[in-house]
Amino acid sequence: MQLSLLQQQLINDHQQGFPLCSAPFSELAQQYKVDECEVLAAINSLQTLDVLSRLGPVFDHKKAGASTLVAMAVAEDKLDHIADLVNQFEQVNHNYAREHDYNLWFVVTDKDMVALNKTLKAIEEKTALTLLILPMEASYHIDLSFKIDFNDNPQEQHQLKHKEALR
Amino acid sequence: MSDSTYQPNAKKAEPLSSLERQYILLTQNGLPIIAKPYHWLSERLNISVEQVLNLTNSMQQRGIIRRIAAVPNHYKLGYHFNGMTVWDIEDSQAEKLGQIIGKLPFVSHCYLRPRKLPSWNYNLFAMVHGKSNQEITQYRSQIKTLLSEVLVNRKQQNAQPFKNCDMLTSTQILKKTGLRLKNKNVANDVTATTQEKNHV
């Protein structure tokens, strides 16, 4: 995937912040010495390519409700089925299969603690499995931003390797 | 006792006003990419642009909004490998080392979580990302070097030692959505973008 310099800058320079003013893209245009419409076109195409998931406010799950990380140890042949059951809960917003005895990892977010505990109970009942509940006690860096390295992108190669590994 | 009730020691989330809920609903999937996105928002919230900017500022100050930012899709950018590194470290050192580990450029999240002995003895979590398995393995050893002094040597009841570190790599993304708030009062309910069942 070939991204323009402007697109690379837009991704790397704004993972931490984006102007809060009535015409933010015009401010970016001034910063990069291009037209506002070029900035809009660059960002639109990043979204079309799905390289940019979104641009906007990033909310703190904790402040907007209660959440916790949860793990489950699921028999390998039941993993898809259990994952489907878990995903049916709209309160589940991330769900990853991982290589470990605890092989299913997801985040549950609800409006408050009471609702969250109720949902956790419901997941336990639905799956008939015990949950390992690991709420956050402290966070040291939760910005999910790190500098993207655009120079070396051996995408296909790794995709292939990993697909083989999954067989 | 069931494991599924937990008492948080963190402060309670403050209740959101209905305006704030609507704000979250309208923006949780991102702002529209148009010249004046906050005007778009002001029309939908029925308040002035000035008020939108002030409200945004205030939500940011109260920590409801962490930041306004571009959120890249790391997977599409070639970061196909993520490892959840987990560590059993001395509690007294956790705060200090959590901060050091969290600042490493390849770490996206770093959390302290409770141990659940005997099933789970790790208290520090650091998520690493890379373009190859080799890369994330190397990051893991860099973290291990930093933590070498504080790793706990814990014995199980049968006297076997617990492992004091591990890295859980992901084999599949089964669901991935942003924050999802549902609001009965808002008709044009915004559904989050969901990536379902992507192989990684």
Side-chain angles (χ1 to χ4, degrees):
Chain A
M1 193 183 322
Q2 240 3 53
L3 299 182
S4 70
L5 180 63
L6 178 62
Q7 287 177 318
Q8 296 184 11
Q9 286 172 323
L10 285 167
I11 290 180
N12 260 340
D13 297 349
H14 300 288
Q15 290 184 57
Q16 292 297 341
F18 177 78
L20 177 60
C21 59
S22 85
F25 297 103
S26 157
E27 197 170 305
L28 294 187
Q30 281 175 28
Q31 185 186 334
Y32 297 113
K33 300 196 168 43
V34 294
D35 282 346
E36 186 184 24
C37 58
E38 282 181 66
V39 173
L40 287 168
I43 294 178
N44 265 318
S45 79
L46 286 174
Q47 287 205 319
T48 309
L49 290 167
D50 196 25
V51 166
L52 191 67
S53 298
R54 65 198 152 90
L55 176 68
V58 176
F59 296 99
D60 185 341
H61 287 218
K62 260 219 133 96
K63 289 281 168 67
S67 72
T68 184
L69 178 69
V70 176
M72 284 170 110
V74 185
E76 211 49 54
D77 60 336
K78 296 227 164 65
L79 191 62
D80 275 347
H81 173 62
I82 297 292
D84 283 343
L85 291 181
V86 170
N87 285 350
Q88 281 168 21
F89 287 85
E90 61 180 25
Q91 295 91 338
V92 171
N93 38 28
H94 284 83
N95 193 354
Y96 284 84
R98 295 190 179 277
E99 280 169 23
H100 193 270
D101 290 343
Y102 284 106
N103 51 356
L104 197 63
W105 290 81
F106 50 93
V107 175
V108 185
T109 305
D110 221 319
K111 65 179 196 305
D112 55 37
M113 282 304 307
V114 177
L116 179 61
N117 278 325
K118 234 171 114 180
T119 302
L120 294 172
K121 281 255 184 324
I123 295 174
E124 224 165 28
E125 273 161 27
K126 185 129 200 178
T127 57
L129 289 168
T130 311
L131 308 183
L132 177 69
I133 294 165
L134 302 170
M136 181 181 91
E137 291 183 332
S139 66
Y140 301 108
H141 182 68
I142 41 167
D143 273 337
L144 238 183
S145 62
F146 52 94
K147 200 173 184 321
I148 306 292
D149 173 15
F150 287 104
N151 295 317
D152 140 67
N153 211 343
Q155 210 167 329
E156 283 73 30
Q157 193 192 330
H158 287 138
Q159 226 165 9
L160 205 77
K161 266 195 198 155
H162 206 70
K163 267 191 189 143
E164 281 164 14
L166 282 171
R167 295 291 137 219
Chain B
M1 201 196 98
S2 163
D3 201 23
S4 65
T5 302
Y6 84 85
Q7 300 298 320
N9 46 13
K11 337 170 216 27
K12 269 196 192 138
E14 54 176 308
L16 298 170
S17 72
S18 91
L19 186 64
E20 288 165 346
R21 276 188 76 87
Q22 285 194 51
Y23 181 107
I24 296 176
L25 276 169
L26 287 163
T27 60
Q28 62 189 346
N29 296 321
L31 292 166
I33 308 304
I34 51 174
K36 295 189 166 165
Y38 299 109
H39 286 69
W40 173 91
L41 198 52
S42 83
E43 281 165 22
R44 272 146 195 87
L45 292 174
N46 256 324
I47 55 176
S48 70
V49 181
E50 190 86 312
Q51 285 171 314
V52 169
L53 298 177
N54 287 338
L55 176 63
T56 310
N57 240 324
S58 136
M59 287 168 82
Q60 205 161 1
Q61 235 132 66
R62 285 175 291 147
I64 299 167
I65 295 176
R66 272 198 200 127
R67 64 189 190 283
I68 302 164
V71 182
N73 180 347
H74 295 106
Y75 188 78
K76 279 271 173 172
L77 287 162
Y79 289 81
H80 292 170
F81 292 81
N82 76 72
M84 186 171 77
T85 69
V86 292
W87 311 86
D88 187 354
I89 66 168
E90 288 169 24
D91 289 319
S92 60
Q93 302 296 309
E95 176 74 32
K96 189 177 111 205
L97 282 146
Q99 290 190 17
I100 294 171
I101 304 300
K103 285 197 184 102
L104 295 171
F106 47 82
V107 170
S108 66
H109 317 45
C110 183
Y111 295 113
L112 206 60
R113 299 186 186 279
R115 294 185 187 86
K116 293 287 166 77
L117 293 167
S119 355
W120 187 259
N121 63 307
Y122 306 108
N123 57 341
L124 187 75
F125 289 59
M127 195 68 77
V128 299
H129 301 262
K131 294 183 179 179
S132 68
N133 199 26
Q134 199 186 3
E135 190 182 344
I136 59 172
T137 305
Q138 206 258 327
Y139 293 154
R140 178 191 180 183
S141 17
Q142 281 187 48
I143 299 177
K144 190 166 186 175
T145 308
L146 289 166
L147 295 178
S148 60
E149 304 278 295
V150 298
L151 287 169
V152 178
N153 292 314
R154 195 183 296 279
K155 290 264 193 299
Q156 300 186 44
Q157 272 191 332
N158 62 8
Q160 290 295 309
F162 273 107
K163 282 172 77 172
N164 55 18
C165 67
D166 204 349
M167 177 161 78
L168 284 68
T169 52
S170 67
T171 49
Q172 248 189 322
I173 301 173
L174 301 163
K175 187 176 190 183
K176 192 175 181 186
T177 58
L179 174 64
R180 264 189 174 182
L181 267 195
K182 280 253 172 107
N183 193 331
K184 318 97 212 171
N185 307 324
V186 176
N188 64 332
D189 193 12
V190 194
T191 41
T193 46
T194 308
Q195 284 177 272
E196 303 245 7
K197 299 216 162 177
N198 287 336
H199 285 267
V200 291

